[in-house]
Amino acid sequence: MKSWKDNSFSTLICFFGPAEFFHFQGCNILREYWTKITGSKAQTLEAHDIQKSEQFTTIWEQRSMLEQNSLYIIPRVEKIRDFNKKLNLIPMKNKIDNPICLSYVGSKIPSNLEKNLNRLRFELIPCFQATDQEIPLIISDFLKKHRLKLHTDSIKLLLAHIGNDLFKLENEIKKLSLLFPSTTKILQCDDIAHFLGLLREDHAFKLTQFFLGHRYNEALLFCDHLLQRGESTIAILGILSRHIRTALKISSLNTKNIPISEQSRSLFLPYSITSSYHKYLSKVSDKILEKSLLLCQQTDMNLKSSRRIPEDLALSTIISTLQV
């Protein structure tokens, strides 16, 4: 960003990696910084804006000395058809007046695209998923940003409801800050439980207990009951997915001989719950858990697309897979 003042560094940036939240944050930081130093707004170009090659090449061309430079942000370039071919049209220059920021969401940039980015001297900035150790630090930043104070147990409850989705976590914290404006008290679990976006905590806890006790028939009946009450299938699916991910994380920690107490701290779980997962894992394999998690992911995509399937059938299929 210093280059935007003195041109001493590259003005071409590409965020890459699977963590979409950090792409979003990085682009926002650049937008705010650009407005601060120039007084003008950055321009965001979507896929339909640059499908025509001539429009894409325009942003790279030399500007008139009378015109102010613009910051161009192009998100989700992995979804833009023939994007690398468009980059091939751009000649390498010693100096490009307009700062340009690309965002490629994916685990790895294709080699031909990476070669092109290196040719044009883009600075590649990785955006990897936050680790379990980093999540509490990020939540702390969210709380400071939205001027909210949560007790440690309240943060654990928030994570139990939302999981590690940073978009959802910040949205939930923002919502709580609006519900508790200008408060200086540290909010306890009882203060926030009724306002959390997913299933009520007692429902989530009860469903998880059924799984931990291998009481799958009761879990099925309870899911049917929740659906009849009008609860969201996505919310129930979130509880299922979180249970499976937690089990897989603890299974992985077990292979490293990490004590239960340390596992509980790293996963923000009560010791008793972590112990219950240890008993649960003695009767279920990682292979079954991974298969069930894949079903959760497929079901989530189907529920959000036009290929909808009966909601009770989707949930029963996942639970039956866990039961094998």
Side-chain angles (χ1 to χ4, degrees):
M1 290 187 294
K2 183 181 176 184
S3 60
W4 299 349
K5 288 184 177 180
D6 59 21
N7 292 321
S8 60
F9 298 107
S10 169
T11 58
L12 305 176
I13 292 173
C14 178
F15 295 109
F16 75 95
E20 189 174 353
F21 178 83
F22 293 121
H23 287 257
F24 178 80
Q25 290 289 85
C27 289
N28 273 349
I29 289 170
L30 294 184
R31 284 190 186 94
E32 292 171 4
Y33 189 78
W34 179 254
T35 299
K36 181 179 178 181
I37 65 173
T38 68
S40 61
K41 291 184 178 181
Q43 298 188 47
T44 300
L45 301 180
E46 302 294 346
H48 59 83
D49 294 320
I50 57 174
Q51 285 302 335
K52 294 182 179 179
S53 296
E54 60 272 17
Q55 190 168 359
F56 181 62
T57 55
T58 299
I59 69 175
W60 304 77
E61 293 173 354
Q62 178 71 34
R63 309 278 294 188
S64 163
M65 293 184 64
L66 300 177
E67 286 186 86
Q68 186 177 20
N69 293 345
S70 295
L71 164 63
Y72 291 97
I73 295 177
I74 308 176
R76 302 305 300 256
V77 297
E78 78 281 358
K79 293 187 175 183
I80 299 176
R81 180 166 47 89
D82 296 330
F83 182 76
N84 195 51
K85 290 182 179 179
K86 297 182 188 302
L87 275 189
N88 283 330
L89 301 173
I90 309 303
M92 188 176 71
K93 300 180 181 180
N94 292 328
K95 182 173 178 291
I96 295 175
D97 290 334
N98 294 318
I100 297 173
C101 172
L102 308 179
S103 170
Y104 183 97
V105 180
S107 57
K108 191 178 188 311
I109 301 177
S111 57
N112 57 346
L113 176 57
E114 185 175 8
K115 183 179 179 181
N116 236 343
L117 294 173
N118 288 330
R119 174 181 69 85
L120 294 169
R121 299 173 186 170
F122 268 85
E123 180 181 355
L124 303 181
I125 301 178
C127 297
F128 300 126
Q129 299 290 359
T131 65
D132 291 335
Q133 291 73 31
E134 291 169 333
I135 292 292
L137 299 175
I138 296 171
I139 290 177
S140 179
D141 287 339
F142 290 162
L143 293 173
K144 290 176 182 176
K145 177 181 176 182
H146 297 289
R147 299 179 181 179
L148 194 69
K149 295 180 180 179
L150 295 182
H151 189 274
T152 304
D153 289 341
S154 298
I155 293 175
K156 292 179 181 178
L157 176 61
L158 187 67
L159 284 167
H161 274 275
I162 308 300
N164 286 355
D165 186 315
L166 296 177
F167 281 113
K168 291 181 180 178
L169 281 170
E170 182 168 22
N171 283 338
E172 208 65 31
I173 288 172
K174 182 178 179 181
K175 184 176 78 175
L176 290 171
S177 72
L178 296 174
L179 291 167
F180 298 94
S182 305
T183 184
T184 57
K185 70 173 282 192
I186 298 175
L187 299 177
Q188 306 294 322
C189 291
D190 290 343
D191 295 318
I192 69 170
H194 298 296
F195 299 109
L196 295 180
L198 294 179
L199 289 173
R200 276 175 30 201
E201 200 275 341
D202 55 339
H203 287 165
F205 180 79
K206 188 173 184 179
L207 189 54
T208 302
Q209 289 300 306
F210 285 146
F211 293 134
L212 290 176
H214 300 277
R215 295 152 60 188
Y216 299 107
N217 289 335
E218 291 177 68
L220 276 170
L221 289 172
F222 189 61
C223 285
D224 285 341
H225 170 70
L226 291 174
L227 289 174
Q228 290 171 17
R229 283 169 49 98
E231 297 287 359
S232 164
T233 309
I234 297 295
I236 300 172
L237 189 63
I239 301 300
L240 267 165
S241 300
R242 187 171 68 247
H243 159 70
I244 296 168
R245 288 194 180 95
T246 300
L248 285 169
K249 286 179 182 177
I250 291 176
S251 178
S252 175
L253 292 172
N254 284 343
T255 63
K256 301 173 185 176
N257 296 318
I258 296 176
I260 295 180
S261 57
E262 290 186 27
Q263 293 182 20
S264 297
R265 282 195 294 271
S266 66
L267 297 175
F268 293 89
L269 290 174
Y271 185 93
S272 59
I273 296 296
T274 310
S275 297
S276 296
Y277 270 100
H278 276 248
K279 295 176 184 177
Y280 171 78
L281 288 167
S282 66
K283 297 181 181 179
V284 64
S285 68
D286 283 4
K287 186 177 180 180
I288 291 296
L289 291 169
E290 289 165 356
K291 182 179 179 181
S292 301
L293 184 59
L294 180 60
L295 277 174
C296 286
Q297 294 165 345
Q298 292 171 343
T299 301
D300 182 68
M301 288 188 291
N302 288 337
L303 289 172
K304 294 174 180 176
S305 71
S306 57
R307 298 174 295 167
R308 292 189 65 85
I309 55 177
E311 297 175 344
D312 55 345
L313 176 61
L315 294 174
S316 65
T317 300
I318 299 167
I319 295 173
S320 297
T321 302
L322 280 172
Q323 195 172 2
V324 173

